[in-house]
Amino acid sequence: MEKNIKNIGIIGCSGFIGSTLVRYFNKKNISYVCFNGNLLKNKDIKKFFLKNRVSCAVFLVGTFDPPFENQFKINVLTLQNFLEIGIKYGLKKIMLSSSGAVYGESENKGSKETDPLKPNTLYGLTKVYAEKCILYYAQNHNIQYVILRFPNVYGENNKKGVIYNFLSDIKNYGTVTIAGDGSQQRNFLHVSDACKAIEEALQYKDSDIFNISNPVRVSINDLVKILKSRYAFSVSYKLADNNQNKLLLNTDRAKKLLKFTPKITQLVA
């Protein structure tokens, strides 16, 4: 870690990525402290900074769950309040977990960090707002930031996302239902690689934005084939309820500047 980072605050320790990051940091003897409180209450944030002298934060709070008002409150307002209060009490650097959904429909070669942000889901829209919030405070209060745009993150203890949903349906009903024709393409990233990327981001000395992903493309039909090699189940189809046909990330920049490449390249469902 950078010498000026004395204590790392993890905001969202109880979530999927957060709980895995805690175990990852423990194994590597990286000092951290978890935020426990209400991110919409100024006194809770102030107490956190005064008690722990946190100068760097990993912000992992977020939700996919509608309605939009709920997504906006959790994905944007909590972050804005944390920045507003935290900067007054010693926050110097923040790392935000964002999403490839900010791009909207990916180009065939994969979305690059320099591509325009054209989200086609309300969740993606809230992540754009969150990123803009970071950029606003960085510009006006001179804090350092690293934004990591993740694809579908999966792994042990995950309780959301297409892999979890399919596995749950196989276990409970013996069938999976595909929205659309199954040709939708996605990148996936194992949560252990997400933690590795976060560690690299905390050591990065500049402010920047990176796509973090396993570059292998997997269609929903491909995912079903992988699952069928391990489980017996039937498949049905329904009308698509998501506008995103392709969520593909170009990771050349992260490989060059962060020196990040995923260790787990084969999808393990």
Side-chain angles (χ1 to χ4, degrees):
M1 292 293 143
E2 289 183 56
K3 291 181 180 179
N4 63 331
I5 297 178
K6 301 192 183 210
N7 217 3
I8 300 167
I10 301 178
I11 320 304
C13 284
S14 62
F16 169 48
I17 297 179
S19 60
T20 309
L21 184 65
V22 165
R23 294 192 294 273
Y24 181 89
F25 277 5
N26 286 339
K27 287 180 181 179
K28 304 204 77 171
N29 293 316
I30 297 173
S31 176
Y32 68 91
V33 60
C34 288
F35 176 84
N36 293 301
N38 188 331
L39 287 165
L40 296 177
K41 289 186 176 180
N42 295 1
K43 65 177 183 178
D44 287 0
I45 300 172
K46 179 180 176 180
K47 179 180 177 181
F48 174 70
F49 279 95
L50 290 176
K51 179 180 178 180
N52 301 294
R53 303 298 176 185
V54 166
S55 63
C56 174
V58 179
F59 200 92
L60 302 172
V61 174
T63 186
F64 299 101
D65 296 337
F68 177 73
E69 290 80 3
N70 180 60
Q71 294 173 331
F72 189 82
K73 180 177 75 173
I74 295 174
N75 297 344
V76 183
L77 294 184
T78 58
L79 172 64
Q80 187 274 328
N81 204 46
F82 182 81
L83 287 166
E84 181 72 23
I85 305 303
I87 287 170
K88 296 176 183 177
Y89 292 95
L91 182 65
K92 302 299 182 186
K93 178 174 182 176
I94 188 162
M95 195 237 83
L96 174 69
S97 170
S98 188
S99 169
V102 297
Y103 296 112
E105 196 67 23
S106 295
E107 296 293 332
N108 214 29
K109 293 182 179 179
S111 297
K112 296 182 179 180
E113 291 87 347
T114 53
D115 287 348
L117 305 184
K118 298 179 179 180
N120 56 359
T121 64
L122 290 176
Y123 167 74
L125 178 60
T126 64
K127 285 299 187 179
V128 172
Y129 283 136
E131 290 193 9
K132 296 297 185 183
C133 188
I134 292 274
L135 297 178
Y136 168 83
Y137 280 94
Q139 176 180 316
N140 290 283
H141 298 278
N142 197 33
I143 66 164
Q144 188 182 348
Y145 67 88
V146 178
I147 296 171
L148 302 184
R149 292 172 177 163
F150 292 122
N152 291 263
V153 180
Y154 74 100
E156 186 179 358
N157 298 320
N158 188 19
K159 294 184 178 180
K160 59 185 177 182
V162 63
I163 294 178
Y164 171 78
N165 292 337
F166 279 2
L167 289 174
S168 295
D169 287 347
I170 291 168
K171 179 181 178 181
N172 295 323
Y173 310 111
T175 185
V176 300
T177 301
I178 297 175
D181 62 7
S183 64
Q184 306 98 308
Q185 291 183 317
R186 299 285 186 268
N187 288 141
F188 290 84
L189 181 73
H190 194 271
V191 66
S192 62
D193 283 321
C195 292
K196 178 173 178 281
I198 290 170
E199 181 185 11
E200 296 294 336
L202 290 174
Q203 297 182 67
Y204 193 67
K205 295 182 179 180
D206 297 317
S207 292
D208 221 325
I209 301 173
F210 296 102
N211 291 334
I212 301 294
S213 180
N214 175 352
V216 176
R217 299 175 178 214
V218 180
S219 71
I220 301 303
N221 287 328
D222 290 336
L223 175 59
V224 167
K225 287 179 183 178
I226 293 171
L227 292 173
K228 272 191 169 290
S229 69
R230 301 171 193 181
Y231 310 98
F233 59 93
S234 61
V235 180
S236 62
Y237 294 83
K238 68 175 183 178
L239 290 176
D241 53 5
N242 189 319
N243 296 327
Q244 192 112 39
N245 187 51
K246 290 181 181 177
L247 201 169
L248 305 171
L249 301 178
N250 181 298
T251 58
D252 291 347
R253 203 160 183 279
K255 185 176 181 180
K256 179 181 178 181
L257 296 179
L258 274 189
K259 311 301 180 188
F260 172 81
T261 53
K263 289 185 177 179
I264 299 177
T265 56
Q266 185 174 1
L267 183 63
V268 181

